[in-house]
Amino acid sequence: MEHSIIRVENLSVCYHSEKRRTRAVNKVSFNLDRGSSLGIIGESGSGKTSIALAMMGLLKKVATVDGQVYYEDKELNSLAEKERNLYRWGKIAIVFQNSLDVLNPVLTVHEQILECLLRHTVLTGPAADEKVVQLLELVGLKAGWNMHYPHQLSGGMRQRVLLAMALSCDPEILIVDEPTTALDAMAKDEIVRLLVKLHREKKFALLVISHEMQIISRLASRVMVMYGGHIVEEGLTKDVLKNPLHTYTRGLIQSSPAINPYRDLWGIPGEAEQNNPEGCPFYDRCNQKILECQAKLPLLEYISLERRVACNRGGITTLLTGRELHKSFVFKGKTIKACDNCDLTIRSGEVVVLIGESGSGKTTLASILAGVSTPDEGEVLFEGEKIKGNSATSRKNGLQIVFQDPFTATNEHLSIAQVVKEPLDILKLGTKDEKLNNVRQALQDVQLPSDDEFINKKCHCLSGGQRQRVALARSLVMEPKLLIADEISSMLDPSTQANVLRLLKGLQNTRGFAMLFITHDLALARKIADRVYVMYNGKIIEHGSAVEVFDSPKESYTNKLVDNLL
């Protein structure tokens, strides 16, 4: 086993000012082996840069730093400033993110790199000047640029100068903080390629701090995900990207256009505020929180080899599981297998799309999953309990289904208020006023009027798009954890379809419910899907992430469907 060159143990950083104290890092531990690479990712303000500054010993005047930082077996935080300087740059170097702030505007590039060499190495005179030229060439800058001032260089060139300064003392550990922020796409790619090359050639340990998931994916073999000063997930980068196990990590990945080339972009609802010092830091923004999460701080624990997650529920939970589902119908003496050994899972807060041509068995499978239809064989579990009839649909925070035809889905002779309130009436949930308030709120959520005149209209007065939104409101009034939407846009015109679907996806994102979206429209599936199941002749023939299914389909049928998109 490789000996760690640097170990961080229970590191905490608390900034102090006259008015308040802010805990930016909370008991973070990790290690770096020689030549290895580690990424730290998170939203702005999550504590990433504070870790880097604390490792460099640069926070003593503005913050209280607790915990230990070991270089090999030497604990650095306990050293006096003079001793600490022996390790800065020579052993551990940092490339800061804002080149214009870091570089001295009145010194040339040559003078700034030379200053590092004179201060931290034994080189002087012509040997030091020659080393400056070598360092510039190392980072891909021609020697002629050494007599220029920082403002005369592009952002990418200034980043290379900072990198040359950091490498001037041949450090064993290099920390790069947001190395590509504010750079154009070409400069960004050049800096990443340069870092990959230098890491391979110089064999230093690399710690990359970024809020860009695609940068971490190219530079770091391992990643830690940070939120509110805590590490919430850790694992091999390729595993975390393919299968995030914390709801926050999933939100970061879904917010990245480079990682998610197809979907519309939806950020994580809410703001990163530390309102919950005792419980889970992500509590206010999590879509699967339970009461325990408000008071109990989750520990970062192993849930598999090389994978740790800090979640009181063990990571993203599985809401619904369909196992070995069979359903046959007899038509004119012929047996038709509508569902043939179908397996399907839906996790908390995700959008799963079931695609296939008309007659493939999609609606039959949906009706079995919702408990509307009974399978010949197999079982459906919702939150670990077997679905029997309407056991999952006849309760709040359960499962709801919205059907394809908005005209038959709502009784045209009932008022809008009666249709939306119907499930609350059947289950006797709330007082008369509470029910009416819930109806008004549900209608507002689907962007329909909620005044008395509108809610007392009969449904036959509404357009197809309005009727479909009323059907959505009726489902949402039950606050479902899972919504099954069966071809809900197929009977709408393109403009109305776009409005209804964007509305639905926005609600799914802000409310955090999971969704099974059933469609034969691949372009639509590509726009909203986290994961995709492909159904053909009653069988699920392929499933995977949207990127996997649309970029690299395994089955010839899926390949043909995808080809028709192009």
Side-chain angles (χ1 to χ4, degrees), residues 20-33:
R20 61 181 297 186
R21 292 168 62 84
T22 305
R23 183 173 286 275
V25 180
N26 198 314
K27 294 185 178 180
V28 166
S29 301
F30 62 91
N31 57 57
L32 261 175
D33 295 341

Side-chain angles (χ1 to χ4, degrees), residues 355 357 522 534 536 541-542 549-550 552-566:
I355 60 176
E357 60 195 23
L522 260 72
V534 183
Y536 179 65
I541 59 169
E542 184 165 357
V549 171
F550 288 113
S552 309
K554 296 182 177 67
E555 296 291 327
S556 58
Y557 173 73
T558 313
N559 201 55
K560 191 163 69 173
L561 289 177
V562 172
D563 282 346
N564 288 333
L565 266 175
L566 303 176

